[in-house]
Amino acid sequence: MKIIQISVFLENRKGRLYEVCRLLGEHQISIRALNIAEATDFGVLRMVVDKPEAAQKVLRDNHFVASRTDVVAVEISDKPGGLADVLHVLSKEDLNVEYMYAFVEKRSDKALVVFRFDDTEKALRLLAAHHINVIRQAELAGL
Amino acid sequence: MIFNQAMECMSRDEARHLQSERLRKLVAYLHEHSPVYRAKLDKAGLQPAAIRGVEDLERLPFTTKDDLRDNYPFGLFCVPRSEVREVHVSSGTTGNPTVVGYTQADLDLWGEVVARCLYCAGARPGDMVQVAYGYGLFTGGLGLHYGTLKAGLTALPTSSGQTKRQLKLMTDFRPRILACTPSYALFMLDDARAMGLDPRESSWEVGLFGAEPWSESMRGEIEATWNMRATDIYGLSEIIGPGVAQECEHKNGLHVFHDVFLPEVLDPNTGKAVPEGQWGELVFTTLTKQGMPLIRYRTRDITKITYETCACGRTCPRVSKFHGRTDDMLIIRGINVFPSQIEHVLLQIEGVQPHYQIVVDRKANWLDDLEVQVEVDEKFFSDEIKVMQALEARIRHEMETVLGIAAKVKLVEPRSIQRSEGKAKRVIDKRTL
């Protein structure tokens, strides 16, 4: 049950992040989770949005480099040690996490964390085997 | 002092006579020893006997950097490779570098002309010359070195870099002459001050600065800060390296050693000579070289020429400080860089033609900065920052390998490189040269 992340190349220049958010807002696209990785002169913006196809189109139309990446949104108990429990499973199963970040919102007593694995399919199998709940793309709109 | 009074001060008639005689021999020599030139002469319908002297020079075909590239590596050599004593390599426009070969006689000639440069700039017998040009494939270091030996002076072959050591040896050995790029002369100021040296008290009294274009304001800065005379030396590896032309103490144009390098100044579009004193492209014929003589080599450097005798007594014609190029070659920290080389590197890395822009700037420390901005394309974009950084590092590494100088690589968003009439402007040179 992977979900689509939109990854955007951003130069370290004033107003670039604003421009992305403005475009998405104008097109009624809602950002559910986001993270920025930065290097010296550039950054990569990663977002989970409710309408990924529309988001990629509007960004491309405005000359942004916007690609799709498969990620997994994992439900985690919102209590001390909740994330550790999931990471324990992952490390035991020798699964590499390229990066991860938390959702802007959460539902009830669960927190949502986006994982980018080096092997998404393997990760999904393992998470299912350990009864760790992952969010489906369709569920994102309702969050 | 004039190193070779007979050659540097002969009358114009004597020069013309000598040049004509040497040109006739050169054409016959090339016809006999160079398949490339034989083909060129045949194509022009010229038998060697048709060239009677300099009055027939303009009938001869041109030679360009493309001829060197097409005959890489040794196709233009007129002697067996075993007779070549030294080769040097400089930038080509794409792919293959430019190779030049010297016989022993050519190395002797090189020493001779650089020795003339040293005395022309103001060297005196007994001087020590600090050669802070790079030694190696670049002709700057070894050219000045051979000239120093031929001039009977003492060489201090520091090569470029290691500035604090340069300055320590200058302080301890007291060389009177400095040879390096003009930007390096200014770059050394900061280190000198950091070491507690007063630059005005340096032992250097005369500098031979070249391998890159520099302005009168840079000259003023070097002369004021280091309290020395700053002269311009010119050369290009295709002709011989440094030693093709040199300013004297009057700093009123660079003396061309016309007994061995026959200059012309032409309209770059028509290929016809421009009147004396008008700007045009400098073209050289090497009159006496053996290993790789060239006929009417298009330097792409823009200058003007005067045949008036200089106040120093030399009759050799003088060319003005250079006024740019007819092509897009950049000279960065003394190294020739063609935008096409950069494009070539990018093409090899991505397999697609990325949009790029080259930004050259001269920083407060007087050294040139080369930045290559590459527009990111979805084909090589990754959501993983380490992949992007690895790509940046790879471009930087390839660039340095091919260009021979460090370049900063900056990944930029699509469309951030300005386009005029749909065509990207490839080079932005912010230096005021």
Side-chain angles (χ1 to χ4, degrees):
Chain A
M1 255 52 60
K2 55 198 178 200
I3 59 173
I4 295 166
Q5 167 190 280
I6 301 298
S7 311
V8 188
F9 178 83
L10 288 181
E11 251 177 78
N12 268 1
R13 221 155 22 94
K14 203 169 83 181
R16 299 313 291 158
L17 179 58
Y18 163 70
E19 183 62 13
V20 171
C21 295
R22 188 187 66 78
L23 286 167
L24 296 181
E26 248 173 35
H27 290 80
Q28 304 298 315
I29 295 163
S30 180
I31 302 171
R32 290 292 167 226
L34 121 170
N35 158 268
I36 297 178
E38 56 173 41
T40 318
D41 291 319
F42 66 90
V44 177
L45 167 67
R46 300 126 172 190
M47 330 175 263
V48 175
V49 298
D50 56 351
K51 288 173 264 181
E53 285 82 4
Q56 189 181 24
K57 182 174 188 310
V58 63
L59 290 171
R60 279 181 172 172
D61 289 349
N62 286 278
H63 309 302
F64 280 96
V65 171
S67 67
R68 294 196 216 182
T69 315
D70 289 340
V71 292
V72 180
V74 178
E75 225 177 39
I76 286 168
S77 303
D78 192 8
K79 60 171 190 318
L83 179 58
D85 291 343
V86 174
L87 292 176
H88 178 64
V89 170
L90 300 177
S91 85
K92 208 170 56 187
E93 299 286 357
D94 211 18
L95 203 64
N96 284 325
V97 178
E98 296 296 343
Y99 55 82
M100 49 181 274
Y101 53 98
F103 258 61
V104 177
E105 299 164 58
K106 55 174 187 169
R107 57 176 186 185
S108 64
D109 58 342
K110 303 282 188 184
L112 289 174
V113 175
V114 177
F115 282 89
R116 163 78 154 88
F117 296 105
D118 59 347
D119 185 342
T120 308
E121 297 304 329
K122 183 181 168 198
L124 285 169
R125 281 197 307 276
L126 287 168
L127 290 167
H130 287 86
H131 309 293
I132 296 169
N133 199 21
V134 299
I135 300 298
R136 289 192 305 273
Q137 186 77 42
E139 289 178 79
L140 285 171
L143 288 177
Chain B
M1 187 184 129
I2 295 173
F3 183 72
N4 192 331
Q5 187 90 27
M7 291 298 130
E8 297 177 69
C9 301
M10 67 182 122
S11 73
R12 206 170 161 184
D13 277 350
E14 285 173 307
R16 209 177 153 81
H17 185 76
L18 180 66
Q19 288 165 343
S20 292
E21 184 189 314
R22 288 181 166 174
L23 182 65
R24 283 194 300 272
K25 281 188 188 157
L26 171 73
V27 174
Y29 176 82
L30 284 170
H31 191 265
E32 188 180 342
H33 297 283
S34 168
V36 174
Y37 272 111
R38 197 179 311 129
K40 268 181 178 284
L41 292 169
D42 286 350
K43 200 174 161 204
L46 285 172
Q47 282 299 309
I51 304 303
R52 292 156 300 174
V54 289
E55 66 274 21
D56 293 320
L57 183 60
E58 62 182 23
R59 297 174 62 192
L60 289 165
F62 291 118
T63 308
T64 65
K65 210 170 180 71
D66 287 347
D67 290 313
L68 274 67
R69 183 195 61 197
D70 295 345
N71 294 289
Y72 177 87
F74 304 146
L76 277 165
F77 288 7
C78 291
V79 296
R81 214 273 302 133
S82 58
E83 292 300 309
V84 170
R85 289 288 155 272
E86 188 163 318
V87 288
H88 281 270
V89 173
S90 63
S91 317
T93 44
T94 47
N96 289 329
T98 299
V99 180
V100 293
Y102 303 73
T103 62
Q104 185 56 53
D106 295 335
L107 292 174
D108 293 343
L109 169 67
W110 199 7
E112 157 79 24
V113 288
V114 177
R116 292 187 198 176
C117 291
L118 284 160
Y119 285 108
C120 186
R124 296 194 293 249
D127 278 345
M128 179 184 279
V129 182
Q130 184 158 355
V131 182
Y133 284 110
Y135 278 63
L137 291 172
F138 172 55
T139 51
L142 284 165
L144 264 295
H145 189 90
Y146 297 146
T148 301
L149 302 186
K150 176 72 181 180
L153 308 178
T154 307
L156 176 58
T158 49
S159 193
S160 55
Q162 300 209 50
T163 306
K164 287 198 166 63
R165 192 178 66 174
Q166 302 265 5
L167 292 165
K168 176 176 168 47
L169 298 182
M170 180 271 285
T171 309
D172 297 347
F173 299 178
R174 313 293 296 161
R176 210 179 136 254
I177 314 286
L178 170 66
C180 63
T181 62
S183 51
Y184 189 59
L186 287 168
F187 176 80
M188 285 194 284
L189 281 170
D190 280 350
D191 278 16
R193 289 180 183 127
M195 289 166 74
L197 301 177
D198 177 358
R200 292 194 57 80
E201 298 296 317
S202 85
S203 68
W204 297 322
E205 292 177 28
V206 174
L208 289 85
F209 302 117
E212 64 185 12
W214 52 306
S215 58
E216 285 299 333
S217 67
M218 270 181 91
R219 191 207 301 273
E221 183 81 14
I222 294 171
E223 295 197 326
T225 52
W226 285 110
N227 188 26
M228 71 191 297
R229 179 196 303 152
T231 69
D232 199 351
I233 182 169
Y234 171 78
L236 60 165
S237 64
E238 297 92 321
I239 301 307
I240 201 149
V244 176
Q246 168 69 45
E247 275 180 340
C248 66
E249 74 260 31
H250 299 286
K251 294 179 279 197
N252 190 16
L254 293 84
H255 292 276
V256 176
F257 302 119
H258 60 160
D259 54 315
V260 286
F261 309 126
L262 180 58
E264 299 170 84
V265 178
L266 309 177
D267 179 321
N269 299 316
T270 65
K272 299 288 175 204
V274 299
E276 183 174 338
Q278 287 193 16
W279 295 100
E281 181 184 342
L282 186 58
V283 172
F284 278 111
T285 300
T286 64
L287 292 172
T288 58
K289 277 173 72 184
Q290 292 182 341
M292 201 181 107
L294 298 177
I295 287 179
R296 306 191 85 198
Y297 183 71
R298 307 281 298 248
T299 67
R300 305 288 174 199
D301 287 316
I302 304 285
T303 189
K304 55 186 183 180
I305 196 163
T306 172
Y307 290 87
E308 281 171 27
T309 301
C310 181
C312 71
R314 287 178 182 82
T315 55
C316 345
R318 282 167 288 149
V319 291
S320 292
K321 255 179 146 351
F322 293 86
H323 219 246
R325 308 234 342 137
T326 64
D327 61 10
D328 55 4
M329 187 181 91
L330 295 160
I331 305 180
I332 297 165
R333 279 174 255 150
I335 304 294
N336 299 347
V337 173
F338 291 93
S340 50
Q341 287 178 289
I342 290 171
E343 183 163 320
H344 196 66
V345 168
L346 294 174
L347 279 170
Q348 284 189 328
I349 289 182
E350 294 318 321
V352 289
Q353 164 133 24
H355 291 290
Y356 66 93
Q357 188 166 54
I358 299 156
V359 182
V360 191
D361 205 353
R362 187 160 283 172
K363 290 287 150 73
N365 66 6
W366 296 94
L367 282 196
D368 299 338
D369 245 14
L370 172 65
E371 179 175 278
V372 181
Q373 301 181 349
V374 183
E375 282 189 4
V376 170
D377 187 278
E378 266 181 49
K379 290 190 194 82
F380 60 83
F381 172 62
S382 164
D383 61 308
E384 290 180 63
I385 210 100
K386 67 180 179 201
V387 174
M388 299 302 283
Q389 283 176 321
L391 174 73
E392 225 180 32
R394 182 161 164 232
I395 299 175
R396 192 163 50 235
H397 175 77
E398 296 282 322
M399 214 63 94
E400 192 165 345
T401 307
V402 170
L403 304 181
I405 55 164
K408 189 173 184 292
V409 173
K410 186 177 179 184
L411 299 177
V412 298
E413 285 174 23
R415 301 264 173 162
S416 54
I417 289 169
Q418 96 190 50
R419 289 156 169 78
S420 52
E421 293 156 15
K423 199 171 182 293
K425 190 166 159 44
R426 290 297 182 210
V427 179
I428 295 190
D429 198 337
K430 295 180 177 170
R431 299 173 295 183
T432 45
L433 296 172

